[in-house]
Amino acid sequence: MVTLKIGTSEKHTISPYLYMQFMEPLGVCDSSVDAAWDFIEEEWYPKVINKVRELAPTMVRFGGCFASYYHWKEAIGKFADRTPMMNYCWSGIYPNQVGTHEIVDFCRKVNAEPLLVVNMESDGRMHWAHPKNGTDRFGTAEEAAEWIDYCNNPNNALRIANGAEEPFNVKYWQIGNETSYDLRGYNSDKCVEVTKRFIEKMREADPSVTLIGWGDKSKDDRSWCKKMSEVDGIELIAFHHHFNSGLPNSPLTGTEYRYDFQKTWDHMMNAYKSLEGHIAEMRADCGNKRLAMTEGHYALPGRNRNEVLSSWAAGVSYARCLNVIMRNSDIIDIATMADFFGNVWQVNAVMIPTPITIGEPYLQPVGAVMSLFGHHQGKQALDISYSGAVDAVASKTGNKIFIHIANTDMNSAQTLDLDLGGAKVSDATMYYIASKPETEITLVNTNCFAVQEAKIEGNSVILPPAAVAAIEITLE
């Protein structure tokens, strides 16, 4: 038996944006935005909108590496007048039918807060800023400020002329993306210098916006976060986390993971530790700033970023990572564990069939877990202690307590004893996903990770092997 001792004293407020999703045009690598957009009807596919509503992301970020050569003005106005662009990172042509108006419309349809990434001088990557075809993809502070004014100024004439009389009121803006990951780009000192110039111009356009600066370490410079933490005008420091199992001789490559699934399971149950270490580093260097993990997912070799990520073992592994984020919610305000939607990459939360007429979009294991946890999430963090083959966190809203828990044993069920320190329970329900760890979701078995429900009688409940659950307790 595993005893879960849950404190009822509230620790700190949890940000609503720890289940963010990340939208980026990914060119020939993954249709991504293009797979979700109906070019004939000039709207988002209703099937995709419905599935994203089920996922229920609280924030949607638009940008990524794509932002380093993006000019937002090319993607506004009548579709016929928009300027197609080369997708320099991901290859191919992006038609720019999805731009500012369409991104905001998507966010409103799914009740998510938009986060836009501005082109910060191509992050110093001059091979993108001035490519061989002679175009100029260099983004200036003035261009970023004009984008904020376009979105947020009630009297912006250009936005009004383009059919949006009311401002979009985009609150969150990220300056730079993965600047430290490319040694051909800016170093930390140059990044800080340029970020300061962008802050000045962007705050002139709207002093109320929340600005996010890039602060993850480079291969040869761990001081990046500390330097960014000293920049006035930045509220959040962004970093990304791409990871493997963290153990030697990993089977999480190609199709090797299928041959000895106990070994695969053991590696996937260890993967959360690298996220713990990364957050600890960021925490030590971020000063009085807060953190935004604006991209996070497994990075594995294999077809389409590895089909092991369609297995339920990946769902349990991602649940452990989400619990790490929740344990650090005293300092993290924005986080994600997926690349949102597309039709190819296994790191997506939502898979879209192509053509979309052949089936329904479905949630990958990571999406299923993010949806489960997001629908049963408290606003205040609680202490929880336990020992045994589980991983759990707790939160609270009013008289409701929420427990997110994963059974880290793929073979044995766990009997959970709920110890609330004498508090009386009026109702308790466990919402859970349980499947064989080696089960892989595809277009022909899209309900294999459906959420099940079990009423809890008394103070104990059985958590099946390799199950992930959200337990909701209503106190008297």
Side-chain angles (χ1 to χ4, degrees), residues 244-257:
N244 201 310
S245 74
L247 295 174
N249 303 315
S250 173
L252 308 182
T253 179
T255 58
E256 183 183 343
Y257 70 91

Side-chain angles (χ1 to χ4, degrees), residues 18-273:
L18 301 185
Y19 301 97
M20 183 266 285
Q21 295 294 338
F22 164 43
M23 178 194 296
E24 177 179 6
L26 297 173
V28 300
C29 300
D30 185 330
S31 300
S32 185
V33 173
D34 288 356
W37 179 256
D38 188 334
F39 287 87
I40 298 174
E41 298 298 327
E42 298 179 348
E43 65 179 9
W44 297 103
Y45 281 116
K47 285 183 178 182
V48 175
I49 293 297
N50 290 338
K51 186 54 62 172
V52 174
R53 285 173 177 161
E54 179 184 331
L55 177 64
T58 47
M59 174 179 278
V60 170
R61 170 178 176 254
F62 182 85
C65 292
F66 178 86
S68 297
Y69 43 86
Y70 181 63
H71 289 317
W72 65 270
K73 287 183 180 178
E74 295 175 346
I76 58 174
K78 295 179 180 179
F79 290 133
D81 297 334
R82 298 191 185 186
T83 305
M85 59 178 283
M86 297 289 293
N87 201 330
Y88 293 101
C89 179
W90 306 113
S91 191
I93 303 292
Y94 183 60
N96 269 324
Q97 271 205 20
V98 172
T100 306
H101 290 247
E102 293 72 33
I103 297 162
V104 171
D105 175 62
F106 182 95
C107 290
R108 287 175 175 170
K109 280 180 165 61
V110 302
N111 195 31
E113 189 79 26
L115 188 169
L116 301 180
V117 185
V118 303
N119 182 343
M120 188 194 76
E121 298 187 356
S122 298
D123 293 276
R125 300 176 175 105
M126 292 304 133
H127 57 291
W128 284 348
H130 305 293
K132 288 183 179 180
N133 62 11
T135 60
D136 183 357
R137 311 308 301 178
F138 188 82
T140 66
E142 289 75 15
E143 179 183 21
E146 288 175 359
W147 198 5
I148 290 181
D149 190 83
Y150 184 87
C151 290
N152 295 355
N153 182 354
N155 301 312
N156 185 280
L158 183 57
R159 186 196 67 249
I160 294 171
N162 286 332
E165 294 187 6
E166 298 297 321
F168 295 144
N169 294 322
V170 178
K171 301 175 184 177
Y172 292 86
W173 298 80
Q174 182 175 326
I175 304 170
N177 176 75
E178 295 189 350
T179 319
S180 57
Y181 294 172
D182 190 340
L183 297 180
R184 295 172 294 178
Y186 288 154
N187 62 24
S188 58
D189 291 330
K190 184 65 174 179
C191 181
V192 166
E193 173 199 325
V194 176
T195 298
K196 288 179 178 178
R197 285 196 277 105
F198 271 67
I199 292 169
E200 180 181 2
K201 293 296 182 181
M202 293 168 77
R203 291 220 177 274
E204 285 178 3
D206 185 348
S208 70
V209 294
T210 296
L211 298 182
I212 305 168
W214 181 258
D216 207 356
K217 64 184 178 182
S218 68
K219 293 179 180 178
D220 57 0
D221 183 4
R222 181 179 164 171
S223 67
W224 212 294
C225 179
K226 188 175 187 304
K227 290 177 181 178
M228 191 59 67
S229 74
E230 297 168 353
V231 175
D232 292 335
I234 287 292
E235 285 93 344
L236 298 166
I237 297 178
F239 70 104
H240 292 169
H241 186 67
H242 307 129
F243 58 98
N244 201 310
S245 74
L247 295 174
N249 303 315
S250 173
L252 308 182
T253 179
T255 58
E256 183 183 343
Y257 70 91
R258 291 181 174 141
Y259 303 141
D260 180 353
F261 218 86
Q262 182 63 61
K263 182 179 179 181
T264 293
W265 177 265
D266 293 341
H267 276 254
M268 300 198 90
M269 289 305 98
N270 191 74
Y272 75 95
K273 293 179 181 178

Side-chain angles (χ1 to χ4, degrees), residues 132 347 397 452:
K132 288 183 179 180
V347 292
T397 299
Q452 303 177 63

